[in-house]
């Protein structure tokens, strides 16, 4: 007699049973804050693949390349009583995504950092996941809102009595394999500029976290007298640009001629300062340096009260009498774009509230305040989003977009430890 053994139903296999294939799928999960925490809650196996593989986060970020826009830091400068108050309480984080990707503002509060314990704190720059603060003691604080880490830098003595501006950026640049927004432990640079020294010439100095030192001081040798407009920097290719005001000569200043808008550029590779005469514009226009569609330097201006936005491109290869020329490539009526015509009579119109407040150089988006409403406008496509209506009126702000990879919730294992440092430079 023969016996035939039987087994139960044969288990069907799924492509998701293959760890390598599953990882390839999980790498394509959107880089929004809630995505990976949600993945880790599916099951222990998925959590193991996300959290125990040290290369997973690096591969996930490398796949998406660009970190999400988590929000922007808003630095409020002027108030209805005409005072100019600088205080950390006036630096607010405004999240942009909706829940569950919305970061609570208190998590990125600047009060967590030493610069936030006193008054007269200026926010100067926000780029590659870091924020640059300046206090009245002559200290820079390079802060990482995601990890809570910070580094303190002492300003070189040649700059201590000058009105200064500065920018922070990742030292890795756009090197192959590096992804900005995951730069928590990467070296960084701080580029310090002053546009009105003892001799009226712009000058710059660069700090490197790799050496822990400030470098040589670079000066612009061209004619003219220059003043900082106090705006934020724009990174285009391998150069940083700031808006400044200028007089053509000392004689022009003495004769009472109006100042003209100009662009101060610092080439990170060549370590050189240049001044570019700005496009023709009314002195009351609000303006912002932007990235042109061809990757060059552009300039956006907003006229009041017509609310016409003009975009200019700098013709770097076309000069007349050694003066660079600008081409007007676009003029748009923002009242029409934003659909404000029907509501113009009910909106509170004020010159002090119609400004370009900031610029996201990764997506080419201008932050524009029109009639107490904040709009985010992509100046190439003219697509826009209304972010909010202001409840506090009468103040001017500067908006600093903040991009970073960040997992929402209590998932510190996805980020790592914070780093706190202090650097004394004399």
């Amino acid at each position: 007699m023969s016996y035939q053994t039987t087994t139960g139903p044969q288990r069907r296999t799924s492509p998701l049973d293959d760890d390598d294939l599953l990882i390839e799928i999980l790498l394509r999960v959107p880089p929004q804050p809630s995505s990976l925490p949600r993945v880790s809650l599916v099951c222990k196996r998925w959590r193991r693949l996300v959290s125990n593989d040290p290369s997973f986060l690096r591969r996930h970020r490398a796949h998406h390349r660009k970190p999400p826009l988590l929000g922007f830091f808003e630095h409020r400068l002027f108030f209805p009583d005409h005072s100019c108050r600088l205080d950390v309480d006036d630096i607010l984080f405004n999240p942009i995504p909706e829940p569950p990707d919305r970061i609570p503002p208190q998590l990125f509060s600047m009060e967590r950092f030493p610069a936030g314990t006193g008054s007269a704190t200026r926010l100067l720059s926000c780029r590659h996941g870091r924020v640059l603060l300046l206090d009245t003691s002559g200290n820079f604080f390079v802060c990482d809102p995601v990890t809570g880490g910070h580094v303190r830098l002492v300003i070189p003595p040649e700059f201590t009595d000058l009105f200064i501006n500065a920018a922070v950026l990742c030292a890795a640049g756009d090197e192959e394999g590096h992804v900005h927004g995951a730069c928590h432990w990467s070296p960084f640079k701080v580029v310090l500029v002053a546009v009105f020294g003892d001799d009226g010439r712009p000058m710059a100095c660069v700090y490197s976290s790799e050496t822990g030192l400030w470098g040589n001081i670079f000066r612009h040798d061209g004619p003219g007298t220059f003043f900082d407009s106090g705006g934020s920097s724009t990174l285009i290719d391998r150069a940083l640009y700031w808006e400044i005001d200028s007089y053509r000569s000392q004689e022009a200043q003495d004769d009472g001629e109006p100042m003209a808008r100009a662009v101060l550029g610092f080439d990170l590779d060549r370590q050189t300062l240049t001044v570019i005469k700005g496009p023709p514009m009314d002195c009351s226009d609000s303006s912002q340096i932007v990235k042109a569609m061809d990757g060059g330097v552009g300039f956006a201006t907003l006229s009041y009260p017509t609310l016409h936005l003009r975009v200019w491109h700098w013709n770097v290869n076309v000069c007349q009498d050694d003066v660079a020329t600008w081409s007007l490539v676009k003029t748009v009526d923002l009242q029409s774009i934003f659909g404000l015509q029907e509501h113009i009579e009910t909106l509170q119109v004020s010159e002090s509230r119609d400004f370009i407040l900031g610029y996201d150089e990764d997506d080419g988006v201008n932050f524009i305040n029109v009639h107490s409403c904040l709009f985010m406008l992509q100046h190439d496509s003219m697509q826009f989003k209304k972010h909010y209506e202001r409840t506090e009126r009468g103040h001017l702000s500067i908006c600093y977009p903040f991009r970073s990879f960040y997992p929402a919730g209590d998932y510190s294992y996805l980020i790592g430890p914070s780093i706190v440092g202090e650097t004394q430079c004399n």
Side-chain angles (χ1 to χ4, degrees):
M1 179 179 294
S2 62
Y3 294 91
Q4 184 176 8
T5 59
T6 60
T7 60
Q10 188 172 9
R11 181 177 179 270
R12 295 181 180 180
T13 62
S14 166
L16 295 183
D17 292 333
D18 185 329
D19 280 1
D20 292 337
L21 181 57
L22 177 58
I23 287 176
E24 288 299 320
I25 295 173
L26 296 181
L27 289 175
R28 288 156 175 79
V29 171
Q32 304 306 317
S34 68
S35 297
L36 292 182
R38 285 182 164 188
V39 165
S40 69
L41 294 175
V42 171
C43 62
K44 291 182 178 179
R45 175 169 167 254
W46 285 31
R47 182 182 178 90
R48 171 178 57 82
L49 293 176
V50 170
S51 60
N52 291 352
D53 183 357
S55 66
F56 178 82
L57 274 185
R58 175 180 53 80
R59 293 176 60 191
H60 180 258
R61 293 161 177 169
H63 175 80
H64 292 283
R65 296 300 303 170
K66 185 168 64 176
L69 179 65
L70 299 183
F72 61 93
F73 288 93
E74 180 182 7
H75 195 177
R76 300 181 176 184
L77 301 177
F78 294 97
F79 290 79
D81 59 0
H82 303 292
S83 64
C84 180
R85 192 180 76 202
L86 297 175
D87 194 287
V88 72
D89 292 337
D90 303 318
I91 301 175
L92 308 175
F93 178 72
N94 293 274
I96 290 178
E98 297 298 326
D101 296 313
R102 191 176 184 87
I103 305 298
Q106 61 270 21
L107 290 184
F108 288 169
S109 170
M110 291 294 101
E111 294 182 352
R112 298 182 300 159
F113 302 101
T117 60
S119 60
T121 299
R122 289 178 60 196
L123 198 165
L124 297 178
S125 178
C126 181
R127 183 177 289 109
H128 300 159
R130 291 185 172 98
V131 175
L132 181 64
L133 301 177
L134 171 68
D135 69 9
T136 52
S137 300
N139 297 315
F140 282 134
F141 287 85
V142 181
C143 307
D144 187 332
V146 173
T147 67
H150 71 273
V151 175
R152 184 173 73 96
L153 313 177
V154 178
I155 297 173
E158 294 86 350
F159 291 80
T160 53
D161 295 327
L162 305 177
F163 186 83
I164 62 176
N165 210 327
V168 63
L169 71 160
C170 178
D174 294 321
E175 297 174 5
E176 184 177 357
H178 180 80
V179 180
H180 294 308
C183 309
H184 308 297
W185 304 277
S186 299
F188 64 87
K189 294 181 179 179
V190 173
V191 180
L192 168 62
V193 294
V195 298
F196 188 62
D198 294 336
D199 55 4
R201 294 188 299 168
M203 59 185 195
C205 190
V206 181
Y207 171 85
S208 170
S209 67
E210 294 178 284
T211 64
L213 299 171
W214 290 96
N216 296 327
I217 295 178
F218 306 95
R219 297 180 183 272
H220 178 257
D221 294 328
T225 303
F226 307 96
F227 299 88
D228 191 356
S229 63
S232 59
S233 62
T234 301
L235 178 64
I236 301 176
D237 196 12
R238 291 288 296 161
L240 285 160
Y241 297 92
W242 290 265
E243 288 183 60
I244 59 175
D245 296 314
S246 69
Y247 287 107
R248 176 173 45 84
S249 64
Q250 184 62 47
E251 291 75 14
Q253 181 178 357
D254 295 339
D255 293 340
E257 292 185 13
M259 289 189 295
R261 200 62 52 88
V263 176
L264 175 67
F266 181 77
D267 190 297
L268 293 162
D269 294 329
R270 298 179 181 179
Q271 304 278 282
T272 55
L273 276 170
T274 57
V275 175
I276 307 168
K277 183 179 179 182
M281 56 179 287
D282 190 278
C283 62
S284 64
D285 289 353
S286 175
S287 55
Q288 173 69 51
I289 300 170
V290 299
K291 185 183 296 185
M293 294 184 66
D294 62 0
V297 179
F299 210 85
T301 62
L302 177 62
S303 299
Y304 179 86
T306 61
L307 290 181
H308 284 162
L309 180 74
R310 295 177 174 86
V311 180
W312 308 76
H313 287 180
W314 178 41
N315 300 314
V316 65
N317 296 320
V318 181
C319 295
Q320 298 176 353
D321 299 327
D322 295 327
V323 177
T325 62
W326 294 83
S327 298
L328 180 61
V329 298
K330 184 176 298 185
T331 301
V332 295
D333 181 356
L334 290 189
Q335 290 192 38
S336 175
I337 293 291
F338 295 157
L340 301 177
Q341 302 95 323
E342 298 179 0
H343 310 284
I344 192 66
E345 294 183 358
T346 60
L347 290 170
Q348 295 192 28
V349 181
S350 170
E351 180 179 357
S352 64
R353 291 196 297 272
D354 296 336
F355 278 94
I356 303 176
L357 302 182
Y359 178 65
D360 178 11
E361 55 205 20
D362 289 298
D363 278 342
V365 171
N366 284 307
F367 289 76
I368 302 178
N369 200 102
V370 175
H371 304 333
S372 298
C373 298
L374 183 65
F375 294 87
M376 297 169 57
L377 174 71
Q378 212 290 329
H379 63 77
D380 290 333
S381 66
M382 288 295 121
Q383 294 182 340
F384 73 93
K385 176 182 178 181
K386 182 179 178 181
H387 186 61
Y388 64 76
E389 294 185 7
R390 294 176 181 271
T391 56
E392 297 183 45
R393 307 179 187 276
H395 64 262
L396 172 64
S397 301
I398 302 178
C399 297
Y400 298 82
F402 182 76
R403 289 182 175 272
S404 182
F405 294 100
Y406 180 80
D410 186 15
Y411 291 90
S412 58
Y413 64 89
L414 293 177
I415 301 176
S418 63
I419 297 177
V420 177
E422 186 167 300
T423 301
Q424 293 280 355
C425 303
N426 298 315

